Amino acid sequence: MVRNVAERAILPARNLLEEVGDMMILTGRTISAALRPPYPYGGEFVSQFLFALRLCWFPLLLSTVALNYAAPGLQAANFLTLFGALDRLGGIFVLAAIREIGPNVTAIVLAGVAGTAITADLGARKIREELDALQVLGVDPVKNLVVPRFLALMLVTGLFDIYAILFGLFGGLLAEMVEGQPVGPFWNTLFANASTTDLWGSVLKCTIFGAIIAIVCCYKGMTASGGAEGVGRAVNQAVVVAFLAIGAFNYTFTQMLLATHPNLLVIK
Amino acid sequence: MNELFALPREWLAATGEIGRFMGTVMGDVWGGRVLHFFGESLRQAGILIVSSTLVIWALMFILGLICGTEGAYFLEANGAPAYAGVFAAWCDLREIIPYAFGYMMAAKVGTGIVAELGAMRISDEIDALEVMGIDSMTFLCATRLLAAWIVLPFLYLAGMGGAFLASYIAVVQQVGFVSSGGYLLIFWEFQNPPDFLFSLIKAMVMATAIVLVGCYYGYNAGGGPVGVGTATAKSMVLNLVLVHLIGMLGTQVFWGNNPNAPIGG
Amino acid sequence: MAVVKEEEFEFHTGQNRPAGVPDAIQFIDVHKTFGSNQVLRGLSMGLPEGKVSMILGPSGTGKSVCIKHIVGLMYPDSGDVVVAGHSIPSLSDDDLFELRKKFGVLFQDGALFGSLNLYDNVAFPLRQHTEKGEDEIAEIVNRRLSEVGLGNANEKMPNELSGGMRKRAGFARSLVLDPEIVLFDEPDSGLDPVRTALLCELIKEVHAENGGTYVVITHDIMSARRVAEYIAVLWRGRIVEAGPSQELFESENEFVRQFLAGESSGPLGME
């Protein structure tokens, strides 16, 4: 009985640790495969990059505008109205749109849209035995499939971060206008408080999110099991793991950035 | 250029069909047809509790930590560290935690439903149900919606408690610019039961949309295991957009012209 | 609508040799199109009551679509499907569900519910549709399971069973409500010849014991020789010829002869 309970508790935990370990190994293999010649993945890189671009631009647009308009826009405007300091809204958007919401929403949308598509695609290849066929033909799936997705997703997530920040600010402006305020003070406080550290921190964070998404989604796709439910289940697990990983990494990164760059905290 | 607009066009084209599907399932639940399968609903509720609660709470907890951290540093920078509670209260209750709940619901429950129903569709199990004289839409979709409505309010409220705790840990224990009592005073001052109710409504509308979208994509899956995978991925896209739109509309309606705060106007 | 080329149907006499009993299932000039693909193109046939009928035909001629029309999972674009005196397309949903309780269907891969074990799968229709107590259900389920030779696999989950076992379990499940009409969707697909032969024997035995109208769709001639009492040959969405199996095996029709003998030369090519 005790043994039974222990097994039921320990087994999932051990499986989880094994998976995390496998993902680490895949990361290592991906990086080394990316650096060592030859470099056959150029074409696939471009097509994956365009694929992610095509798939994500619209959901990301809707998401960032909606989120920034509502959360930091309306709510913070509510708060600032209480003090009659609505011109300060721009300052809040440094924290909201640039430091947090921009990268986080980009990561969530990229994981939910491009990541799931990658898992579905690789999962389909896995169960059609295309991956086995590649290996039999002497082609390394990591180098030819994972590396281009890894690089493409890192690049595209980093770039989309800028896009998300721009449309996030647009959402903020929208809120400012809905409150019936001139937009000049919004820009003033925004640029007074924004710093390049904030921007590179945001882009760096987002690029690493891209790497996390790529590894998790490729891993889940390549290990999809057969059967009717296999690929769907793989996609399901991929987004769950990716979201948790994004959240956990975000927490650590924010902590580190804020603690090591105290000048970010001075309000101007 | 055409390819760029493939997704929006696809959604527009499917709007009517998805709407009709959602109407039918909701009708099954409201009209009580789902009660024929109350046992199955309870079973689905059990599955939801056992398999999804912990991950949903986990993401809510993590984002609670982030709300706390950002709030503590932001108000310290403004010279009012004692007011970190306002930021945490609003960030948790009104905005970020409902989103966290929506994200994880879409990821875990929404795609899970697509994978499961899609597999049932392609292995003829749904046809088998129909042939046995069972209304498969009621049996599979309406029971899941009812199960979600039974379980999720409690799951959400408990998760919100977890997020409050996480913010407290971040602000008071970790960053430590403000004392425990000072933080809690402000934190509780700046929220009230209507806020709580609005937040719950927002989350439940999200959850309903997610379950229905999941059922739609799963129930109408086709094209073998590969088709199920694609349908799962597609459902996630639509769900993410819906979560954000519902969040925005909720904020606009509930707090758009009313800060609902204990000071000022 | 593509133009119907008459030469496509030069072997389709549509001749129906009477089987001597009334028809349980009738297709009346049924058309069904998916996109640009015309699957059924004026299908008319009758399947006799109380016999084992077979719908035979090359792959991709709409045999599975026929079964879906019979149980009302699909509706014809035009024409009518009459089952036990009811016109399927004009039934309301509730009446259709009621009528379906008289059906048993064996799907290609058994279509067992992956989340239930073998016993619960077979007990499922009884629990949903009857007021029987657990004892009575257990009695019926065990009898049906041992009838198909799965007497001691009650606790197994569907994914632990072999393809042949899944089919037999699906067969048992389709029988528990004592259906008047049992439909088989390619019972021989994915089975080796011996297992196919055993399954055919099983179908024959169960039919001898329980009676009822059985409809089997297949492209396997060996199965047809073993179990069929009545055969309808389907090609390009229409009946080529139909009749009692003995008469059909002796048919003069060139297509029927080629198909039933399994020869490579004749009207049917690679296409």
Side-chain angles (χ1 to χ4, degrees):
Chain A
M1 179 64 197
V2 176
R3 198 193 150 96
N4 216 334
V5 172
E7 264 173 13
R8 279 181 59 180
I10 290 171
L11 202 65
R14 211 179 65 193
N15 287 345
L16 185 75
L17 286 179
E18 274 180 11
E19 275 202 357
V20 173
D22 282 348
M23 285 181 203
M24 293 297 171
I25 294 172
L26 181 64
T27 317
R29 282 177 57 198
T30 308
I31 293 173
S32 83
L35 296 178
R36 267 204 318 256
Y39 307 107
Y41 45 74
E44 181 83 355
F45 170 78
V46 172
S47 78
Q48 284 298 320
F49 181 81
L50 292 176
F51 175 71
L53 218 58
R54 203 163 56 228
L55 223 54
C56 295
W57 74 271
F58 183 64
L60 189 57
L61 175 79
L62 285 181
S63 299
T64 44
V65 173
L67 191 54
N68 281 288
Y69 168 71
L74 288 181
Q75 294 289 13
N78 276 339
F79 184 65
L80 292 170
T81 312
L82 297 177
F83 304 116
L86 203 51
D87 60 316
R88 288 254 149 211
L89 193 61
I92 287 195
F93 266 78
V94 176
L95 171 150
I98 300 181
R99 202 185 300 155
E100 284 300 333
I101 295 183
N104 275 309
V105 171
T106 310
I108 295 276
V109 170
L110 263 287
V113 180
T116 53
I118 286 176
T119 310
D121 176 34
L122 290 185
R125 295 182 192 210
K126 161 82 188 219
I127 61 158
R128 286 200 220 107
E129 301 188 321
E130 284 179 37
L131 296 184
D132 295 343
L134 278 182
Q135 265 166 332
V136 170
L137 294 172
V139 177
D140 177 12
V142 172
K143 186 162 219 140
N144 285 272
L145 297 176
V146 181
V147 170
R149 284 169 176 73
F150 181 74
L151 297 178
L153 222 54
M154 274 169 72
L155 182 61
V156 97
T157 324
L159 292 178
F160 261 137
D161 184 34
I162 312 273
Y163 173 89
I165 290 172
L166 285 179
F167 279 98
L169 294 180
F170 172 72
L173 279 177
L174 216 59
E176 183 93 357
M177 287 189 286
V178 166
E179 297 285 333
Q181 296 290 318
V183 295
F186 179 89
W187 291 121
N188 271 341
T189 47
L190 175 73
F191 287 123
N193 284 289
S195 66
T196 40
T197 319
D198 265 317
L199 189 62
W200 75 247
S202 171
V203 173
L204 176 68
K205 177 156 95 173
C206 216
T207 310
I208 299 175
F209 282 156
I212 293 174
I213 297 166
I215 290 296
V216 170
C217 292
C218 286
Y219 173 79
K220 283 291 177 188
M222 288 169 70
T223 52
S225 59
E229 216 178 5
V231 188
R233 193 51 74 200
V235 175
N236 174 230
Q237 292 171 351
V239 269
V240 173
V241 175
F243 279 12
L244 285 180
I246 288 167
F249 177 75
N250 183 36
Y251 177 60
T252 341
F253 189 91
T254 305
Q255 286 291 334
M256 247 166 58
L257 187 74
L258 291 180
T260 53
H261 291 80
N263 57 330
L264 288 182
L265 301 169
V266 180
I267 218 105
K268 293 156 204 139
Chain B
M1 217 40 198
N2 262 342
E3 284 179 355
L4 272 183
F5 292 100
L7 188 68
R9 215 173 26 234
E10 192 182 310
W11 284 346
L12 275 182
T15 307
E17 207 183 320
I18 296 180
R20 204 162 41 240
F21 181 89
M22 288 182 168
T24 316
V25 176
M26 300 254 265
D28 281 349
V29 177
W30 279 122
R33 274 167 70 92
V34 68
L35 296 178
H36 295 302
F37 306 117
F38 193 64
E40 174 71 10
S41 305
L42 287 183
R43 199 175 76 91
Q44 290 299 337
I47 292 174
L48 193 60
I49 293 172
V50 172
S51 64
S52 304
T53 313
L54 279 181
V55 265
I56 295 177
W57 284 351
L59 194 69
M60 290 167 90
F61 189 84
I62 292 176
L63 289 194
L65 282 176
I66 290 172
C67 274
T69 318
E70 287 287 357
Y73 282 113
F74 180 68
L75 283 131
E76 160 74 10
N78 273 307
Y83 280 83
V86 185
F87 189 100
W90 287 13
C91 181
D92 280 351
L93 187 58
R94 296 185 179 185
E95 294 298 330
I96 300 303
I97 299 306
Y99 284 122
F101 173 78
Y103 294 153
M104 223 9 150
M105 267 298 290
K108 180 77 179 110
V109 179
T111 59
I113 290 177
V114 185
E116 195 185 351
L117 294 191
M120 292 188 77
R121 165 64 74 193
I122 59 167
S123 58
D124 288 336
E125 286 175 40
I126 294 184
D127 282 353
L129 274 177
E130 287 280 323
V131 166
M132 284 180 215
I134 291 165
D135 185 340
S136 58
M137 204 122 110
T138 316
F139 186 77
L140 297 174
C141 305
T143 52
R144 280 173 171 75
L145 186 60
L146 182 62
W149 284 350
I150 295 172
V151 171
L152 291 178
F154 302 102
L155 193 158
Y156 178 72
L157 294 183
M160 185 60 86
F164 285 176
L165 179 67
S167 293
Y168 175 84
I169 292 173
V171 176
V172 178
Q173 303 297 330
Q174 189 191 347
V175 180
F177 293 143
V178 57
S179 74
S180 167
Y183 168 77
L184 288 178
L185 175 72
I186 299 296
F187 183 76
W188 295 117
E189 193 86 343
F190 275 81
Q191 54 179 291
N192 49 19
D195 274 0
F196 214 74
L197 181 68
F198 294 155
S199 169
L200 181 64
I201 293 174
K202 216 158 120 173
M204 283 310 111
V205 175
M206 285 177 188
T208 307
I210 288 164
V211 170
L212 288 174
V213 167
C215 286
Y216 172 80
Y217 275 98
Y219 192 82
N220 295 306
V226 177
V228 177
T230 319
T232 313
K234 278 186 178 168
S235 77
M236 193 64 208
V237 185
L238 184 54
N239 269 335
L240 276 180
V241 171
L242 285 179
V243 163
H244 287 127
L245 290 182
I246 292 168
M248 180 188 79
L249 287 177
T251 300
Q252 179 74 64
V253 170
F254 295 139
W255 294 288
N257 289 310
N258 167 28
N260 199 11
I263 50 172
Chain C
M1 209 55 154
V3 186
V4 174
K5 284 184 263 157
E6 277 311 314
E7 64 265 35
E8 280 188 47
F9 294 116
E10 60 177 316
F11 299 101
H12 291 66
T13 58
Q15 185 186 11
N16 185 8
R17 304 158 197 257
V21 286
D23 288 339
I25 298 166
Q26 277 178 306
F27 279 72
I28 301 161
D29 195 27
V30 174
H31 289 262
K32 181 75 184 175
T33 307
F34 299 101
S36 62
N37 185 13
Q38 299 172 285
V39 178
L40 301 182
R41 304 197 281 183
L43 173 69
S44 293
M45 69 173 171
L47 300 169
E49 202 175 300
K51 300 211 170 204
V52 182
S53 306
M54 262 200 181
I55 303 176
L56 270 175
S59 352
T61 42
K63 300 191 297 289
S64 292
V65 176
C66 279
I67 283 211
K68 296 204 163 165
H69 277 85
I70 297 174
V71 292
L73 289 173
M74 279 180 194
Y75 296 115
D77 294 339
S78 69
D80 199 1
V81 181
V82 182
V83 177
H86 302 277
S87 162
I88 295 286
S90 54
L91 281 183
S92 72
D93 274 1
D94 288 338
D95 291 339
L96 185 60
F97 283 126
E98 207 47 46
L99 181 66
R100 279 179 184 160
K101 292 177 190 170
K102 297 180 185 169
F103 285 126
V105 179
L106 172 55
F107 288 89
Q108 262 185 32
D109 200 32
L112 299 176
F113 301 120
S115 55
L116 303 176
N117 69 21
L118 192 51
Y119 178 89
D120 290 330
N121 256 295
V122 179
F124 184 88
L126 291 168
R127 287 183 181 147
Q128 291 295 337
H129 288 314
T130 65
E131 302 293 317
K132 293 187 166 67
E134 276 303 312
D135 292 346
E136 208 177 338
I137 289 178
E139 196 266 322
I140 299 174
V141 171
N142 286 326
R143 179 160 56 83
R144 288 301 181 191
L145 277 175
S146 55
E147 198 171 39
V148 299
L150 289 172
N152 41 22
N154 276 358
E155 297 298 319
K156 288 234 164 73
M157 299 303 281
N159 56 9
E160 299 171 306
L161 299 174
S162 70
M165 286 164 94
R166 277 204 295 273
K167 278 182 206 233
R168 279 186 283 156
F171 191 21
R173 188 178 67 182
S174 66
L175 290 174
V176 285
L177 287 178
D178 298 315
E180 293 169 19
I181 298 173
V182 186
L183 310 170
F184 300 81
D185 190 356
E186 307 233 352
D188 40 39
S189 74
L191 288 189
D192 62 60
V194 176
R195 299 269 157 62
T196 308
L198 288 172
L199 188 66
C200 288
E201 286 304 314
L202 184 64
I203 292 173
K204 238 164 115 174
E205 277 168 30
V206 172
H207 182 252
E209 193 161 318
N210 299 294
T213 308
Y214 282 24
V215 179
V216 184
I217 62 171
T218 181
H219 51 243
D220 183 45
I221 313 303
M222 288 297 284
S223 318
R225 282 193 191 279
R226 281 203 185 87
V227 287
E229 297 173 293
Y230 182 90
I231 291 180
V233 178
L234 185 64
W235 187 35
R236 288 177 174 160
R238 272 195 207 175
I239 290 298
V240 182
E241 243 188 73
S245 56
Q246 209 45 48
E247 293 178 32
L248 223 57
F249 275 107
E250 290 158 9
S251 168
E252 296 294 311
N253 188 309
E254 228 176 298
F255 177 83
V256 175
R257 255 210 344 245
Q258 181 202 1
F259 193 73
L260 292 187
E263 283 166 3
S264 57
S265 66
L268 179 60
M270 293 288 283
E271 314 206 3

